[in-house]
Amino acid sequence: MTPSLPALADYEAFHAWRADQSRWLPVASDVAHGHGLKATSPHVFATGTNLVVGLGDDLILKLFPPMLRGQFVSERASLRQLRGQLSLPIPEILFEGERDGWPYLIVTRLHGVVGSEVWPGLPEDQKERVLAQIGASIAEVQRAPLGELASIEPQWADFIPKQIEGCRARHTRLGLPPKFLAGFDDILRDAATLIPLDKPPVILTGEYIPENFLLSRDGNGWRLSGLFDFGDVMTGFGEYDLLGPSAFMTAGVRRRVRSLFEGFGYSSADIHPAMKRRLMALMLLHQHSDPIRHIKIEGWQEKAGDLVELQDLVWPT
C-alpha cells in the first residue's frame, strides 16, 4: 500500500519529516504513475522549500505541503501567465493535482547548470555578462501582463506598510549590529515616501538569485539559459527584484552593479543617492531580508559604519 502524505503542523515539522525520503518518495512515484509517467530512478533535489523530484531527464514533480499552498498558487499562476512571454525558457505545466491535501505540479525540466554551482568560479567578464542578462530578464518579466497574478496576495500597498511595521523587530531578532539598527527610524520614515505604493504593479519573483536560474555555455562563455521557482511571486514596484542579485551577486563591484542595472534598463546616472536610499529600504523590507547572511561582500559589517555607508558599499557609483 502506498503511504499517505501527513498533515503537518508547521514548516519545522515538515522539514524534519522530509529528511527521510522513504516516507514520501513512494508517494511521488505513485503520483507520476497515476499520470502514466515512468518514475524509475527518481532524482531528489535536496535544496528548495518544497518536495522536488526529477522524473527522468525531462520532467519535474513539485509537491507542496498544505501550509505552503500559497506557493503552489503562485507557481501555477506565474507559469501560466508567463508562458510564451519570455525569451528565456521557463517550466511548462503538464499536469496538476492534489494528494492528501498536498497540491502538486508536474512540469517540464529545463536544461543547464544551476547558477549556484557555476557562479563563484566565473571570470569577472562572464559575471558581468550574466548580470546584464539577469537585468534584462527581470525587465522582460516585468513587461508581461499581470493576468490572474493581479489578484495574488500580498498586494503591494498592504505588503510595504506591514513590512515597515515589523522591520526593526525582524532585524533585531536576526542579529543586525546596533550601528545599523540605529538608522532604522530614519530609513523607515524615508521608506514611506521613497517607495511608491500606487504605481502600476509589475510581476515580481523576489528571488533572482543563483539557486533559481540555469546557466549554459555558448561560444562566448556562460549565459543565462533558464528561470525556475516562481513560488514567491507577487506584484508591485519593479526595483524590488534588483535586490536579489544586488545582495548575492554584485558583491559591491561597480562594473557588476552597472551591468545589472544597464541590463534592467537603467543608466549609471540613475543610481543616485535617493535611489540607493530606496533600494536600501527595500532590501531591509524584503520578505526574506537577512543582510548578515545574504550580502555577499567580504567584511561589509566592518567596512560600513551605518546604513548610508552600507548602501554606498552595495551600490557604488
Side-chain angles (χ1 to χ4, degrees), residues 99-160:
R99 173 68 70 91
D100 302 318
W102 293 52
Y104 65 82
L105 296 171
I106 297 177
V107 301
T108 54
R109 184 171 182 173
L110 305 180
H111 296 285
V113 181
V114 176
S116 55
E117 297 181 15
V118 178
W119 178 258
L122 289 186
E124 195 61 30
D125 65 323
Q126 295 296 297
K127 289 183 175 179
E128 293 170 15
R129 181 187 190 214
V130 170
L131 280 163
Q133 293 170 350
I134 289 172
S137 296
I138 294 172
E140 189 174 37
V141 169
Q142 295 185 0
R143 287 192 294 269
L146 300 186
E148 62 182 298
L149 291 171
S151 60
I152 205 159
E153 298 293 338
Q155 293 287 295
W156 185 255
D158 300 322
F159 172 74
I160 290 298

Side-chain angles (χ1 to χ4, degrees), residues 42-217:
H43 173 74
V44 176
F45 292 88
T47 59
T49 307
N50 302 286
L51 301 180
V52 183
V53 183
L55 306 175
D57 294 331
D58 299 317
L59 300 176
I60 295 284
L61 167 64
K62 294 188 72 170
L63 277 158
F64 300 78
M67 79 283 293
L68 297 178
R69 179 175 289 272
Q71 291 204 353
F72 164 76
V73 172
S74 175
E75 181 105 9
R76 179 179 61 178
S78 300
L79 293 179
R80 286 173 173 173
Q81 186 60 28
L82 292 173
R83 183 181 180 187
Q85 299 285 336
L86 308 179
S87 54
L88 275 178
I90 61 171
E92 178 182 347
I93 298 172
L94 298 183
F95 304 101
E96 62 179 89
E98 190 167 307
R99 173 68 70 91
D100 302 318
W102 293 52
Y104 65 82
L105 296 171
I106 297 177
V107 301
T108 54
R109 184 171 182 173
L110 305 180
H111 296 285
V113 181
V114 176
S116 55
E117 297 181 15
V118 178
W119 178 258
L122 289 186
E124 195 61 30
D125 65 323
Q126 295 296 297
K127 289 183 175 179
E128 293 170 15
R129 181 187 190 214
V130 170
L131 280 163
Q133 293 170 350
I134 289 172
S137 296
I138 294 172
E140 189 174 37
V141 169
Q142 295 185 0
R143 287 192 294 269
L146 300 186
E148 62 182 298
L149 291 171
S151 60
I152 205 159
E153 298 293 338
Q155 293 287 295
W156 185 255
D158 300 322
F159 172 74
I160 290 298
K162 183 177 180 181
Q163 293 299 101
I164 289 175
E165 182 180 345
C167 188
R168 176 183 285 276
R170 173 189 178 89
H171 290 289
T172 300
R173 184 180 73 253
L174 292 173
L176 194 66
K179 65 180 180 179
F180 299 114
L181 289 170
F184 264 51
D185 289 343
D186 290 338
I187 199 164
L188 293 180
R189 182 196 63 237
D190 293 346
T193 55
L194 285 172
I195 300 173
L197 301 182
D198 56 357
K199 290 191 69 171
V202 298
I203 297 172
L204 307 172
T205 79
E207 294 192 316
Y208 287 93
I209 58 176
E211 288 79 5
N212 292 342
F213 60 74
L214 298 174
L215 298 176
S216 299
R217 284 184 180 274

Side-chain angles (χ1 to χ4, degrees), residues 1 18 23 34 62 74 81 84 178 189-191 201 213 275 288 295-296 298 305 310 314:
M1 180 180 294
R18 73 178 287 179
R23 294 172 169 174
K62 294 188 72 170
S74 175
Q81 186 60 28
R189 182 196 63 237
D190 293 346
F213 60 74
M275 181 193 186
H288 299 304
I295 295 179
K296 305 302 182 184
E298 186 75 27
L310 180 56
V314 176

